[in-house]
Amino acid sequence: MKIFKLIAFYLFILSFSSSFAAEGYEVKQISVLEVNSSINPATYNYLKTELSKLSADKGDLAILKLDTPGGLVTTTKDIITLIGKLTVPFVVWVTPEGASATSAGAIIASSAHLLVMSEGTNIGAATPVGIGKDIEKSDGKAKAINDLVALVRSLSKARGRNPDRFAEMISKASSFDSQTALKEKVINGIINTQADLISFINGKTIKVLGTDIKLTVSPNAEIKTKNMDPGQKILDILANPMTAYILFVIGAALLYFEFQAPGGFVAGAIGAVCLVLAAIGFQVLPLNFGALGLIVLSFVLFIIEIYITSYGILTLGGIASLVFGSLFLFRTENAYLDIQLPMVLSVVAAIVIYVLMIATVIIKTRTKKQYFFKNKDCTGHISRLMGKDGEQFLYQVKVNGEIWNTITGIEFAMDEKVKVVDQDDEHTKVKIEKL
């Protein structure tokens, strides 16, 4: 009788312990994704599209090769939610050498079932740039920080990694190299090649949707690299803060040039295209509209300087507006994005040099009475009718690439060719006659 009781007890213990044993999961297909830009809606669309195709029934596993300077908090949270719903293993690999999972990238990395890094990489510095070190001065900012800290703590703890170090990445902007990250149990391993990573995955036990599973990589596992489609690539490029900023400044500068030398429309057309492309990027970036207003104001001041003699005061005001607007263009509490100071200084220096060159030409032309074309008996064409005063017509005439005003009692058609016979005594208008 005792023997039967012992057997029954043994069977009970065996069945109880087996309920905690990890389930087997054979990896048959490996999808390799890659993010090497900012975290933006294009990134989310790319990951959502590819991850939605994966299934545990097919033995899928996803590897994300990550190298990012940061991105949007809202998009980061959407990606984390996407990863949390996966029924397949998700591996984040910070690679290649020199790469980093900074800011938003560190938060995404904390949600991975397995997190590895290559030698010479780093992870961390996850305090949003719009918040910085003054979080204790604002309840709203403190709440934003606390929310992110609680998020990474929960994720890293669920994955069996060090929650305190992940919390420091946000609260103290801490950053860790690969060796320190391994020592502090921030990551699961240091891997330098894809083959080594697959060997590392084989035999590992992870938790997916609350269930422990033991990974076994099939010898015949198929490895597929999934890239962004053309639309995602274009949006990803335009959503880069540096690209959007440069496009906007170039567009504004070309429109400024069009105001200074009207009539060609080439500069204005290209500038308009640049502004439209910049607007596409701004649509998905965390734009600080006050800073954008300062940049627009700077170009308005530059244009006004053409028509009003302020002895450089308007230009100095425009330069100051451009600098401060550029520095704070993407500084919001919803972002891990920033424009580097060297980039801002380079742009401002180029614009200042151009403005100074134009100002020098204007000063020379206003202080010296000179002809702008050597031969007075040359031809031009009517480019615009400015108005009519009684029997007198006021036209704009384009002569050798220059726009001149003329007052005449003769009526001309638009684009009609004319002969320029002289200038007035002040060299501000030309005299024309029919050819």
Side-chain angles (χ1 to χ4, degrees):
M1 194 67 171
K2 289 183 179 180
I3 294 176
F4 288 113
K5 287 182 178 180
L6 289 173
I7 293 174
F9 180 74
Y10 173 76
L11 292 174
F12 171 75
I13 294 297
L14 185 63
S15 63
F16 183 75
S17 61
S18 64
S19 64
F20 289 94
E23 296 180 5
Y25 186 95
E26 185 178 11
V27 178
K28 300 175 183 177
Q29 297 184 95
I30 300 175
S31 296
V32 180
L33 314 177
E34 187 169 357
V35 171
N36 56 7
S37 61
S38 64
I39 304 301
N40 56 66
T43 310
Y44 172 72
N45 183 267
Y46 164 58
L47 294 178
K48 182 180 180 181
T49 301
E50 297 303 332
L51 293 179
S52 63
K53 300 175 184 178
L54 306 183
S55 170
D57 296 334
K58 297 186 296 184
D60 283 315
L61 178 143
I63 296 175
L64 174 62
K65 298 168 71 174
L66 186 62
D67 178 14
T68 178
L72 308 181
V73 173
T74 51
T75 304
T76 300
K77 289 183 176 180
D78 289 339
I79 292 174
I80 289 173
T81 301
L82 184 67
I83 296 171
K85 294 179 180 178
L86 289 177
T87 58
V88 302
F90 183 79
V91 181
V92 169
W93 181 20
V94 183
T95 191
E97 183 176 328
S100 64
T102 310
S103 301
I107 297 178
I108 292 174
S110 70
S111 67
H113 298 122
L114 282 176
L115 172 58
V116 297
M117 299 170 65
S118 293
E119 292 279 4
T121 59
N122 70 283
I123 184 172
T127 303
V129 296
I131 295 177
K133 297 180 179 179
D134 61 342
I135 59 173
E136 68 278 359
K137 299 179 182 179
S138 168
D139 290 339
K141 293 179 179 180
K143 289 177 182 178
I145 285 289
N146 292 337
D147 176 60
L148 292 174
V149 168
L151 179 63
V152 296
R153 273 187 174 277
S154 177
L155 289 169
S156 55
K157 192 172 183 179
R159 306 305 189 215
R161 293 189 283 271
N162 191 333
D164 294 332
R165 294 296 172 264
F166 275 98
E168 285 180 12
M169 294 180 192
I170 297 174
S171 61
K172 298 181 181 179
S174 299
S175 186
F176 306 97
D177 59 57
S178 56
Q179 294 292 343
T180 304
L182 181 62
K183 181 180 178 181
E184 296 291 335
K185 297 183 179 180
V186 171
I187 61 176
N188 300 103
I190 297 177
I191 305 295
N192 293 312
T193 67
Q194 187 166 290
D196 289 341
L197 177 57
I198 294 173
S199 298
F200 178 82
I201 293 170
N202 192 29
K204 281 288 184 290
T205 299
I206 62 174
K207 189 183 291 291
V208 177
L209 295 178
T211 302
D212 289 329
I213 61 173
K214 185 174 182 179
L215 303 176
T216 303
V217 180
S218 170
N220 300 318
E222 185 179 7
I223 302 174
K224 294 182 178 180
T225 299
K226 306 292 184 68
N227 297 315
M228 287 186 173
D229 62 39
Q232 291 167 341
K233 288 181 179 178
I234 292 173
L235 181 59
D236 188 49
I237 292 172
L238 296 178
N240 185 301
M242 293 296 217
T243 304
Y245 171 70
I246 290 298
L247 285 172
F248 178 75
V249 171
I250 290 175
L254 289 175
L255 287 182
Y256 168 74
F257 179 78
E258 185 67 35
F259 273 102
Q260 286 211 332
F265 302 111
V266 175
I270 297 175
V273 171
C274 290
L275 289 178
V276 170
L277 293 176
I280 295 174
F282 287 164
Q283 185 180 6
V284 298
L285 289 169
L287 200 60
N288 185 324
F289 288 98
L292 180 62
L294 285 174
I295 296 177
V296 173
L297 175 63
S298 68
F299 284 95
V300 171
L301 293 176
F302 292 149
I303 292 172
I304 294 176
E305 182 71 69
I306 301 172
Y307 304 100
I308 299 177
T309 304
S310 69
Y311 302 100
I313 295 176
L314 291 176
T315 298
L316 291 175
I319 293 171
S321 296
L322 181 60
V323 171
F324 286 108
S326 300
L327 289 175
F328 292 96
L329 186 59
F330 299 114
R331 281 185 176 266
T332 70
E333 294 183 11
N334 185 39
Y336 286 97
L337 300 173
D338 201 3
I339 297 179
Q340 299 298 318
L341 183 59
M343 171 67 74
V344 174
L345 295 179
S346 299
V347 169
V348 172
I351 292 176
V352 169
I353 291 172
Y354 176 75
V355 170
L356 290 176
M357 291 173 60
I358 295 298
T360 302
V361 173
I362 292 175
I363 292 172
K364 285 183 178 180
T365 58
R366 287 183 177 180
T367 55
K368 294 182 180 180
K369 294 182 179 180
Q370 58 181 357
Y371 291 103
F372 284 81
F373 42 87
K374 296 179 180 179
N375 185 5
K376 290 185 290 185
D377 295 325
C378 56
T379 59
H381 69 270
I382 301 296
S383 63
R384 184 182 177 188
L385 174 62
M386 301 291 290
K388 183 179 179 182
D389 183 11
E391 298 298 323
Q392 298 293 313
F393 297 90
L394 175 59
Y395 293 105
Q396 281 189 343
V397 184
K398 190 168 186 178
V399 188
N400 295 335
E402 301 169 357
I403 302 296
W404 288 85
N405 290 335
T406 184
I407 298 178
T408 177
I410 305 173
E411 185 174 0
F412 292 91
M414 290 300 98
D415 294 323
E416 181 178 347
K417 289 187 176 181
V418 296
K419 182 178 180 181
V420 180
V421 296
D422 204 354
Q423 292 174 309
D424 64 2
D425 293 337
E426 299 296 325
H427 304 305
T428 58
K429 298 183 182 67
V430 294
K431 298 177 181 179
I432 62 174
E433 61 183 35
K434 286 183 176 289
L435 282 174

